[in-house]
Amino acid sequence: MVRRPCWVEISTHAFEDNYKLLAQACRARVSSALELLAIVKADAYGHGLSICAPAAVRAGAGWIGVTSVEEGVAARQTLRGLEPAPEILTIGGVFPGQGAEVIAHRLTPVIWEPYHLDELEAAAKATDALPGSIPVHVELDTGMSRQGVELSELGALLERFRKKDESPVRIDGIMTHLYAADERDGEATHHQLDRLENMLEQVAAAGLKPRWLHVGNSAAVLLGGAPETALASLVAIAKRHGMHAMARPGLALYGLVPEFDPPLVREELPLLDDLHKELQPALAWKTQIASVRSIGKDEVVGYNGTFVATEPMHLALLPIGYADGLKRALSNRGYVLIQGERAPIVGRISMDQTVVDVTDIPKASPGDEVVLLGPQGDETISACDHANWAETIPWEIFTSITARVERRAV
Ligand SMILES: *Cc1c(COP(=O)(O)O)cnc(C)c1O
């Protein structure tokens, strides 16, 4: 069936190039042994898991990360037949009843609660899994107070892995999450990594030797490996403990640079400054003009007439609204691109429709392509622009694009 014109285009080349660019820069500038796990949670930040997960693997990712067991199962299915099959990390825990899927689809769950292990052990018993055949990564809470084992509980949790010959579950990795990698003074990160080292001493004292240590999101990766940065510390800590270091970028793979505090300009990105190619946004969001009309001075536009024409105007109707994920906060604030020009959104964005001012684009007519996110002519609107207009963050802009918007790989 031909669908209404409202779609996102995902450039798999941009996504693959972004992964390769980051991986090469990390290897050249930080450590030849540093791995990058590609974060493709939440339907690849709204870009489409079935498009981005295979692209990550083609670009060389040996690990991909998703939130839930159900996302992990979907990732395994979409990657079927692609070699080499990557490891799939499920970040958000294992809920009662999910153990069997973890085992059947060879997922690597992040665990931190005793009940996570109870669930996996029970599922293992039901499937006669061999000792040590189910890998897990243990998350340590080093200060974010969100998920992860606290120091006071660590000894008891590690005890569960010590009966190695009996337990079906083996500790394959350790991870923590930095809550302020975008703060350039690095103080919070430094503190977290100190705590990480202390907790790793306990892991070693328990006689456990996990292979992987992973820390760091896009901000940590882009700050690079200069002394005292998160990546340099990660690599040093992993080396001291005989582990492989891995970082977990998300946003940067989709081509966006997170905002730093104090702000960092592109030329200053320590990891990318000597590379000719820069990160490219992988997503463009498009629609077409559905109809055009003219209104006179003092006529109003949209619900509650929040926009009043101060002069005769031309308007274009777009078949897209907040039910597609276009933030209603962009009403009377945001812009779209038509014929390479910026057209302001006027009046309230409705559930399924939006009106823009095309008074200065007199040739605008039904069928014209409209860009909500991405480049057109010499202009570009980015997810950071939408985030600023809507007073949120680009992660939320991407993940707000709803399922009824078609994802097209280009
Ligand atoms: C989402 C997530 C990331 C990626 O974060 P970005 O800021 O998008 O790079 C890394 N690690 C964990 C645990 C996450 O949940």
Side-chain angles (χ1 to χ4, degrees):
M1 191 196 303
V2 176
R3 299 173 68 156
R4 119 200 114 112
C6 174
W7 72 98
V8 295
E9 293 175 359
I10 307 299
S11 165
T12 53
H13 286 294
F15 187 84
E16 286 178 44
D17 284 351
N18 292 338
Y19 182 91
K20 288 181 192 159
L21 185 69
L22 290 171
Q24 279 162 9
C26 280
R27 290 197 185 117
R29 305 282 293 278
V30 186
S31 159
S32 58
L34 183 61
E35 285 282 330
L36 290 187
L37 175 151
I39 294 278
V40 289
K41 65 191 179 191
D43 201 29
Y45 289 30
H47 290 54
L49 179 73
S50 61
I51 296 172
C52 294
V57 173
R58 285 196 302 271
W63 282 85
I64 64 169
V66 293
T67 294
S68 59
V69 171
E70 53 271 34
E71 286 181 1
V73 171
R76 187 60 84 206
Q77 280 163 352
T78 202
L79 291 170
R80 191 177 293 152
L82 206 62
E83 295 288 340
E87 306 294 339
I88 299 175
L89 188 77
T90 61
I91 294 168
V94 184
F95 291 93
Q98 293 189 314
E101 299 280 20
V102 168
I103 297 169
H105 294 92
R106 290 167 286 108
L107 308 177
T108 303
V110 171
I111 65 108
W112 66 95
E113 291 282 352
Y115 81 80
H116 295 151
L117 286 175
D118 296 342
E119 170 63 23
L120 292 171
E121 283 170 2
K125 213 170 252 168
T127 56
D128 289 329
L130 297 173
S133 63
I134 303 166
V136 298
H137 287 196
V138 173
E139 177 154 1
L140 306 178
D141 179 5
T142 55
M144 193 175 188
S145 312
R146 192 176 67 170
Q147 67 174 49
V149 200
E150 294 167 71
L151 186 58
S152 59
E153 314 280 331
L154 182 58
L157 194 82
L158 293 176
E159 199 53 42
R160 303 271 304 253
F161 294 98
R162 293 188 66 178
K163 292 168 268 149
K164 268 183 262 170
D165 301 338
E166 299 157 39
S167 174
V169 181
R170 99 176 168 269
I171 181 167
D172 181 60
I174 295 280
M175 69 174 281
T176 195
H177 196 42
L178 302 176
Y179 65 87
D182 51 356
E183 292 175 12
R184 289 171 70 194
D185 67 20
E187 224 171 284
T189 296
H190 190 72
H191 194 62
Q192 284 194 269
L193 293 173
D194 273 352
R195 286 204 199 181
L196 175 66
E197 272 240 77
N198 285 341
M199 294 172 96
L200 284 173
E201 300 297 341
Q202 280 205 36
V203 176
L208 299 168
K209 291 191 168 50
R211 284 191 305 158
W212 294 97
L213 178 66
H214 49 99
V215 179
N217 55 9
S218 297
V221 169
L222 291 170
L223 282 180
E228 302 298 306
T229 57
L231 279 199
S233 305
L234 163 65
V235 168
I237 295 170
K239 201 169 171 197
R240 275 200 287 282
H241 291 267
M243 301 168 85
H244 296 297
M246 185 153 68
R248 304 182 303 260
L251 194 70
L253 298 178
Y254 304 93
L256 266 78
V257 175
E259 250 176 60
F260 287 86
D261 180 22
L264 185 72
V265 292
R266 266 180 169 240
E267 295 69 45
E268 232 189 317
L269 290 177
L271 204 56
L272 299 174
D273 59 0
D274 63 348
L275 293 166
H276 301 302
K277 256 168 108 192
E278 292 187 320
L279 299 172
Q280 303 164 45
L283 179 146
W285 191 4
K286 299 181 178 177
T287 183
Q288 288 173 355
I289 294 177
S291 68
V292 292
R293 72 192 56 228
S294 298
I295 60 169
K297 182 173 179 305
D298 294 332
E299 288 198 69
V300 302
V301 181
Y303 281 121
N304 303 106
T306 61
F307 183 88
V308 184
T310 54
E311 59 187 348
M313 294 177 72
H314 293 299
L315 304 177
L317 175 69
L318 313 181
I320 179 169
Y322 60 78
D324 298 296
L326 185 64
K327 291 278 173 194
R328 189 168 171 275
L330 267 54
S331 299
N332 290 312
R333 274 194 100 165
Y335 293 82
V336 302
L337 301 177
I338 297 172
Q339 297 185 3
E341 307 274 349
R342 283 183 173 239
I345 294 171
V346 290
R348 289 214 172 122
I349 292 172
S350 307
M351 185 183 287
D352 310 302
Q353 294 180 309
T354 297
V355 175
V356 296
D357 174 7
V358 291
T359 310
D360 295 333
I361 314 171
K363 290 198 185 119
S365 32
D368 283 3
E369 188 162 283
V370 179
V371 170
L372 300 142
L373 279 179
Q376 194 189 55
D378 298 331
E379 290 274 357
T380 297
I381 294 176
S382 77
C384 294
D385 294 326
H386 277 220
N388 289 334
W389 293 329
E391 292 176 32
T392 181
I393 53 175
W395 292 263
E396 194 189 32
I397 297 299
F398 284 142
T399 55
S400 295
I401 303 172
T402 57
R404 77 178 190 184
V405 178
E406 184 188 356
R407 270 68 173 173
R408 294 183 190 162
V410 296

